[in-house]
Amino acid sequence: MTVTIKDVAKKAGVSPSTVSRVLSGHPRISLETSRKVKVIMEEMGYTPNMMAKSLVSKTTNSICIILPKPAEELFSNLFFMELIRGIVTQSSRSGYDVLISSGANEKEELEAVSRLLKGRRVDGVILLYSRKDDAVIDFLQSGGYPFVLVGRSDRYEDILSVDNDNIMAAYDATNHLISMGHERIGFVSGPPNLIVSSDRLEGYRKAMQGKGLTMKEEWIVEGEFLQDSGYRAMSFFMNLPNRPTALVAVDDMVSFGVLRGLNELKYKVPEDLAIVSFNNIPLSELSSPPISSIDIGIYHLGYTASQVLIQNIQKPDNQDGYTNRFVIPHRLIVRESSMHAPGNQGV
């Protein structure tokens, strides 16, 4: 039989309202009474009714992660798994549950966010992406709902966000290839409507222009953060009459597709094509050859996003001297895939 507050109160010799105050941490309840009631709760196996508690406190102690695509696609990319691990770890330590929602398109994402927040099922939202024009961010911002963006927004510079300096990260990746002697460097980008894609492309362009190197538009291919994007790019790149000798891939999963495509075409990495990518997921070190990758601190991105969201939920008016944009440092991990000077292949 379910143990109720009345059952606990009767055994403790206090009123049900006193038990409720113990549960909410009311300052007028003495430490002795609080300890006594909590011991009895544990002995009786009492579990608070969180739904009833949330109606009183107007909080749910839950946050929501909004995935930018159907979960079955995203969970094939270890970047999102590690990001979510950071979010869940910090949320759990703060006493918050995590709900995950997704949609097949922006309209479905907006409907999910609206339903969760207006129905008071969660206290705040973490967005795992940043689009150039985003109706979800517009809704959250106009409604005054607590949320954190993993990325950055061109339109709303004052929103809470956790990000890397993706322009500088791509600059460093490209500059590494240039330092190895490469002049013909291609770029496999992500969806053009995502800010992370445009930022990394800008960093690539800055590095190339800074060294006075030629950039051909056919050396830049757009795709998704999936293996297939890298795989498809290879059949195009390697058939160019003046093909690149090196490549910057926007994501490690894309670089795995590049390796697969090159292997089928009988090309070798880094002898025929050097590669640097992003995220430094564990598989990048275990691939053949191991891939040079920009470590963006994925776990730290998720952990920090959860931390700043919960702080904002708990103390929304205590933002004096509080930064709204958190930038996680990056570093280049050099491995075999980029450690080879270019020859005269493809000339």
Side-chain angles (χ1 to χ4, degrees):
M1 191 172 80
T2 303
V3 179
T4 67
I5 283 182
K6 288 183 179 180
D7 296 329
V8 174
K10 184 177 180 180
K11 187 168 182 177
V14 298
S15 67
S17 61
T18 297
V19 177
S20 295
R21 291 190 180 100
V22 170
L23 286 169
S24 63
H26 198 286
R28 293 186 179 180
I29 300 299
S30 69
L31 185 60
E32 181 181 352
T33 300
S34 179
R35 285 175 177 170
K36 177 183 176 182
V37 170
K38 287 178 179 178
V39 167
I40 292 173
M41 284 179 183
E42 188 172 344
E43 289 175 352
M44 299 181 71
Y46 172 74
T47 302
N49 185 324
M50 298 308 296
M51 185 173 291
K53 185 180 176 182
S54 70
L55 290 174
V56 175
S57 65
K58 293 184 169 45
T59 62
T60 66
N61 275 51
S62 299
I63 62 173
C64 180
I65 300 171
I66 300 296
L67 302 178
K69 284 190 175 180
E72 60 269 19
E73 286 188 28
L74 289 181
F75 288 146
S76 66
N77 190 329
L78 293 181
F79 165 81
F80 289 100
M81 298 295 288
E82 184 69 359
L83 191 63
I84 292 171
R85 186 173 76 89
I87 293 170
V88 170
T89 299
Q90 202 288 324
S91 299
S92 177
R93 289 174 182 174
S94 299
Y96 278 70
D97 295 323
V98 177
L99 187 152
I100 297 176
S101 183
S102 67
N105 51 54
E106 188 178 32
K107 180 182 177 182
E108 289 187 7
E109 292 166 21
L110 181 59
E111 289 172 351
V113 170
S114 177
R115 182 173 62 252
L116 291 168
L117 288 169
K118 289 183 177 179
R120 294 188 177 180
R121 294 175 59 189
V122 296
D123 299 328
V125 172
I126 296 177
L127 302 176
L128 301 191
Y129 58 90
S130 51
R131 299 187 185 98
K132 293 180 180 178
D133 295 301
D134 198 313
V136 177
I137 293 179
D138 292 343
F139 167 77
L140 292 168
Q141 184 73 353
S142 63
Y145 296 109
F147 75 100
V148 171
L149 173 67
V150 177
R152 69 174 186 85
S153 171
D154 282 331
R155 181 177 297 179
Y156 301 112
E157 295 183 358
D158 60 335
I159 65 173
L160 279 175
S161 65
V162 180
D163 198 11
N164 306 108
D165 184 342
N166 282 297
I167 295 175
M168 194 67 213
Y171 180 95
D172 291 344
T174 309
N175 201 49
H176 164 65
L177 293 171
I178 294 171
S179 73
M180 293 300 298
H182 294 279
E183 295 183 354
R184 305 199 306 270
I185 302 172
F187 189 88
V188 180
S189 185
N193 66 318
L194 296 185
I195 291 179
V196 64
S197 300
S198 59
D199 279 357
R200 289 178 181 174
L201 180 58
E202 183 179 345
Y204 157 79
R205 290 185 186 275
K206 282 189 173 183
M208 295 289 282
Q209 291 168 350
K211 298 296 183 180
L213 299 178
T214 300
M215 285 182 299
K216 295 181 178 293
E217 287 306 312
E218 61 263 33
W219 292 353
I220 301 171
V221 176
E222 294 173 350
E224 299 288 336
F225 291 94
L226 300 170
Q227 277 197 51
D228 282 349
S229 288
Y231 180 79
R232 289 194 300 268
M234 284 309 93
S235 60
F236 171 74
F237 274 133
M238 303 312 284
N239 282 304
L240 291 173
N242 187 28
R243 66 171 178 78
T245 63
L247 187 71
V248 177
V250 74
D251 180 272
D252 284 337
M253 296 302 293
V254 173
S255 69
F256 297 155
V258 169
L259 289 180
R260 182 161 60 95
L262 289 172
N263 184 59
E264 290 185 8
L265 293 169
K266 309 301 181 185
Y267 288 106
K268 293 183 178 180
V269 174
E271 292 85 354
D272 295 311
L273 188 75
I275 302 171
V276 178
S277 66
F278 289 82
N279 299 342
N280 193 38
I281 63 175
L283 288 178
S284 62
E285 186 177 6
L286 301 176
S287 65
S288 181
I291 296 175
S292 297
S293 188
I294 297 286
D295 189 326
I296 63 171
I298 305 171
Y299 177 87
H300 196 190
L301 278 168
Y303 193 98
T304 305
S306 173
Q307 191 173 48
V308 298
L309 174 61
I310 292 172
Q311 286 175 351
N312 184 251
I313 290 169
Q314 294 177 339
K315 299 179 180 179
D317 299 321
N318 187 24
Q319 302 298 316
D320 292 340
Y322 186 69
T323 183
N324 65 303
R325 186 164 188 255
F326 298 80
V327 179
I328 306 302
H330 68 271
R331 62 193 178 108
L332 171 64
I333 308 298
V334 178
R335 299 191 180 99
E336 187 181 336
S337 72
S338 63
M339 295 300 293
H340 192 276
N344 61 357
Q345 61 268 56
V347 176

